[in-house]
Amino acid sequence: MCEAFLKDEESYRAVADKLVQISQYYGFDGWLVNIENALSEAAVKNTPLFLRYLTEQMHERVPSSLILWYDSVIEDGELAWQNELNQCNRVFFDACDGFFTNYNWTEENLEWMKDYSGVRGRQADVYIGVDVFARGKVVGGMLETNKALDIIRKHNFSVAIFAPGWVYEVHNKSEFRTNQDKFWALLSDYLYIHQLASRLPFISSFCQGFGKAVYWKGQHETKKSWFNLTAQEIQPLYYHMDLEDHGQVKSSGCPEDAWNGGCSLLLHGLIPATLNTPVCAKIFSLHVPLDSKIMVSVVYKASAGITISLQLKTTDSSHCSHTDVHEVTLTSMSPKILGNGPLLVSQISELCGNTNPQGWTVRCSQLELHGCVLREVCVLIHRDGGSQDTSFSCRLGEIMVLDVDTLQLPVDPVRGLCVDDVVWLCGVGTSPESTSPCLRLCATLRWDYPVESVRHFRVYWRRLRGPDPKIPPGKLELLARAYSNQFRVTELVVPEPPMELELVVEPVISNGFPVPESQWGRRRLSYAEGSEK
């Protein structure tokens, strides 16, 4: 295969063009090119040309993308892992964005590379490979992976952490979250925080894209385990912070209870009685421009003995070295405080009222910040007093930072809902839950709606009429959430024909205001023996 696509310019450009298209379509950050077989003289001669063309095309069409070369084939076509960047493989490094070394390096390899002319000015583009499984003669690995990172950072190279799935694959899977936190905590001092660049609204309910149930506003939407990484929201910082006198704060994802999605952020630990100042638990590291009145909304559950507030750290947009700290007092904000914008009082009351739905506390506040950039969001945990150390837990369900001037009720209706690729199944279905014979519908729904304003869509169905006209229409039943403008209905059990049912799509917009039912998408589907429409 390598000989075929590297035989000439036409062939390698065709392959590169297809890789670029795949990256564009699926949102890849780039490609790691790893050819672990020997190449002919003609093929290896074309390999740097292929890398250079692929890199140029990716940079042009997928901004900030990377093309990396793996330490395998050398310039004469032989398969010979070097465990370093040197004259034998430099030709590939020079043609792309970076070089990923094999895992069997020693510190002597890193010391040599530091002075190698081919690396000069590009040390950060050399990614030192670390196999977490620790296969072969390697530095660190497993729960000593931090030893490898310590040496790599000492010599100012980047690192490529390979196969961190070791944490899941070789340990008790019921302890995965604990082991996962333990593993990454070992590495946290060596890893940089990449600040999230975003514009308002800034919203996260900490969903990791899987869970034991799906929640909406603290209530179960569905009660079975699920996995859909498209549902993952902006992730917070997960860490373990030591305080004075044996105090500590830990943050972790927790699927046992959530406000929205499948997970909340759990802050827990011990605040010593000797600590008289609030504990600052950093939640996000950001770069979010602010130039308006903003509304901050927080949903949380806190244990007895502590009080929760927020701290926002900002810099002036023109003098980024200057830091202002804004402590946000969370209150039950009156809808009138937001002025006379295009809002309904009932919606603001629902969003920021003095409510404790399902045991959650919902609090809001308003700030006016002009010419600022939001850099950090912290939760301040205040100990209420007393002479004893305070064990605490605080579950964060959601944080929202909204631009007050742009808050408005949704005005866009769902348009063009259509039903395609319809398949009817009779008998027992393919899922383990399907045990009795019945009629099942499979179909693809597609619709138009501005997805940039949407968190997700809810897809429902209901029976309209038939076969007995005396039976009134059924209630809407939730099928699932959709995270794009299409959804595949799979083996939906439906009544026997003749029948008319309705498929419904509800947009759930980011700021939490409900979309009126008149703007939902609806499509009727009639079917009878041997026909449908």
Side-chain angles (χ1 to χ4, degrees):
M1 188 179 294
C2 290
E3 294 299 322
F5 94 81
L6 291 169
K7 68 178 181 179
D8 56 33
E9 182 177 4
E10 181 181 3
S11 298
Y12 72 67
R13 285 194 172 214
V15 170
D17 290 341
K18 190 58 64 177
L19 294 177
V20 172
Q21 290 175 22
I22 293 171
S23 295
Q24 285 181 295
Y25 185 84
Y26 289 105
F28 289 179
D29 292 322
W31 294 95
L32 169 64
V33 181
N34 178 15
I35 297 177
E36 297 205 54
N37 52 258
L39 295 176
S40 67
E41 182 179 353
V44 78
K45 181 180 178 182
N46 283 326
T47 300
L49 301 176
F50 160 70
L51 288 173
R52 191 174 301 280
Y53 178 74
L54 175 61
T55 303
E56 290 171 352
Q57 293 301 305
M58 284 290 293
H59 287 183
E60 181 178 332
R61 304 186 185 207
V62 184
S64 302
S65 59
L66 288 176
I67 301 297
L68 305 181
W69 173 261
Y70 187 73
D71 169 19
S72 49
V73 171
I74 57 177
E75 64 178 350
D76 65 1
E78 181 185 354
L79 179 60
W81 298 271
Q82 301 294 293
N83 301 300
E84 65 180 22
L85 176 65
N86 58 32
Q87 204 60 34
C88 293
N89 49 36
R90 176 182 172 178
V91 63
F92 309 111
F93 175 59
D94 290 343
C96 65
D97 294 312
F99 184 87
F100 182 159
T101 75
N102 192 45
Y103 315 110
N104 302 113
W105 51 269
T106 64
E107 187 167 6
E108 287 72 23
N109 293 113
L110 307 193
E111 289 175 344
W112 182 87
M113 277 194 293
K114 194 168 59 173
D115 299 321
Y116 174 50
S117 61
V119 175
R120 197 161 297 144
R122 293 188 65 189
Q123 272 187 267
D125 296 337
V126 178
Y127 296 79
I128 308 302
V130 177
D131 180 10
V132 178
F133 277 81
R135 290 163 285 206
K137 189 176 180 181
V138 300
V139 176
M142 296 187 282
L143 290 178
E144 293 187 338
T145 299
N146 56 308
K147 293 183 177 180
L149 267 70
D150 186 60
I151 295 173
I152 294 167
R153 288 296 187 225
K154 184 171 74 173
H155 295 285
N156 291 321
F157 290 106
S158 293
V159 61
I161 301 172
F162 179 75
W166 171 86
V167 175
Y168 180 82
E169 293 174 30
V170 303
H171 292 83
N172 187 333
K173 292 176 175 51
S174 66
E175 300 295 321
F176 168 63
R177 285 180 178 272
T178 300
N179 292 329
Q180 175 85 332
D181 292 344
K182 180 179 180 181
F183 174 79
W184 290 104
L186 289 170
L187 309 186
S188 61
D189 288 343
Y190 304 100
L191 303 178
Y192 297 109
I193 296 171
H194 295 266
Q195 290 188 327
L196 175 71
S198 174
R199 303 198 73 84
L200 294 182
F202 175 82
I203 300 170
S204 180
S205 58
F206 315 107
C207 181
Q208 295 179 325
F210 60 94
K212 298 179 179 180
V214 177
Y215 293 83
W216 178 248
K217 294 189 176 181
Q219 299 187 58
H220 283 109
E221 201 167 75
T222 61
K223 292 186 178 182
K224 62 181 181 179
S225 296
W226 63 280
F227 181 94
N228 184 346
L229 286 183
T230 314
Q232 187 177 96
E233 298 201 346
I234 297 167
Q235 290 299 291
L237 303 174
Y238 298 106
Y239 58 88
H240 179 165
M241 179 173 64
D242 291 323
L243 307 174
E244 61 185 50
D245 292 338
H246 308 292
Q248 60 180 6
V249 178
K250 295 181 181 179
S251 66
S252 58
C254 185
E256 307 305 329
D257 193 7
W259 176 252
N260 179 42
C263 184
S264 58
L265 177 65
L266 181 63
L267 302 173
H268 61 104
L270 178 72
I271 304 176
T274 55
L275 187 61
N276 297 317
T277 56
V279 174
C280 178
K282 188 191 297 184
I283 305 302
F284 292 109
S285 183
L286 308 164
H287 185 96
V288 179
L290 307 174
D291 193 17
S292 63
K293 293 179 182 178
I294 62 169
M295 186 179 77
V296 181
S297 170
V298 184
V299 183
Y300 65 93
K301 287 182 179 180
S303 59
I306 61 171
T307 303
I308 300 300
S309 65
L310 278 187
Q311 184 182 83
L312 307 182
K313 292 186 178 180
T314 65
T315 56
D316 185 274
S317 59
S318 58
H319 303 91
C320 286
S321 60
H322 176 68
T323 301
D324 285 328
V325 176
H326 307 271
E327 184 168 346
V328 180
T329 302
L330 301 171
T331 62
S332 302
M333 197 165 67
S334 166
K336 295 179 181 178
I337 198 170
L338 293 173
N340 299 317
L343 298 170
L344 292 179
V345 171
S346 61
Q347 269 76 19
I348 295 296
S349 296
E350 182 179 346
L351 191 64
C352 296
N354 184 13
T355 58
N356 291 77
Q358 309 300 313
W360 293 91
T361 299
V362 182
R363 293 291 183 265
C364 298
S365 189
Q366 184 182 345
L367 297 173
E368 189 161 347
L369 300 172
H370 293 280
C372 294
V373 175
L374 178 60
R375 303 304 294 268
E376 288 184 6
V377 177
C378 301
V379 172
L380 292 180
I381 305 165
H382 305 254
R383 198 173 71 90
D384 290 346
S387 59
Q388 300 296 317
D389 296 346
T390 302
S391 295
F392 75 93
S393 67
C394 176
R395 187 184 303 278
L396 290 180
E398 184 172 77
I399 289 180
M400 295 198 299
V401 183
L402 308 174
D403 183 340
V404 171
D405 293 337
T406 62
L407 284 179
Q408 58 184 357
L409 294 177
V411 295
D412 295 297
V414 174
R415 303 180 190 276
L417 176 59
C418 60
V419 183
D420 298 321
D421 308 319
V422 175
V423 177
W424 299 96
L425 301 175
C426 297
V428 177
T430 59
S431 66
E433 297 85 5
S434 300
T435 57
S436 58
C438 49
L439 182 64
R440 290 176 168 84
L441 168 65
C442 302
T444 299
L445 309 185
R446 295 184 176 88
W447 60 89
D448 293 322
Y449 198 83
V451 293
E452 63 276 3
S453 64
V454 173
R455 225 166 175 176
H456 58 266
F457 299 91
R458 289 197 190 95
V459 181
Y460 305 89
W461 83 282
R462 67 169 176 161
R463 183 187 59 79
L464 284 181
R465 63 173 181 267
D468 185 348
K470 297 178 182 178
I471 301 176
K475 294 182 179 179
L476 287 178
E477 295 185 39
L478 180 67
L479 288 174
R481 293 181 177 185
Y483 295 90
S484 67
N485 283 357
Q486 59 181 346
F487 177 77
R488 182 67 179 170
V489 176
T490 306
E491 295 192 13
L492 170 64
V493 177
V494 296
E496 294 296 322
M499 179 61 59
E500 183 176 41
L501 57 84
E502 185 176 43
L503 297 163
V504 180
V505 174
E506 174 196 6
V508 178
I509 63 172
S510 299
N511 62 25
F513 297 161
V515 176
E517 283 198 41
S518 60
Q519 294 173 281
W520 298 5
R522 298 176 183 274
R523 176 64 64 187
R524 295 187 175 192
L525 185 67
S526 300
Y527 56 96
E529 291 288 351
S531 67
E532 66 182 68
K533 61 179 180 179

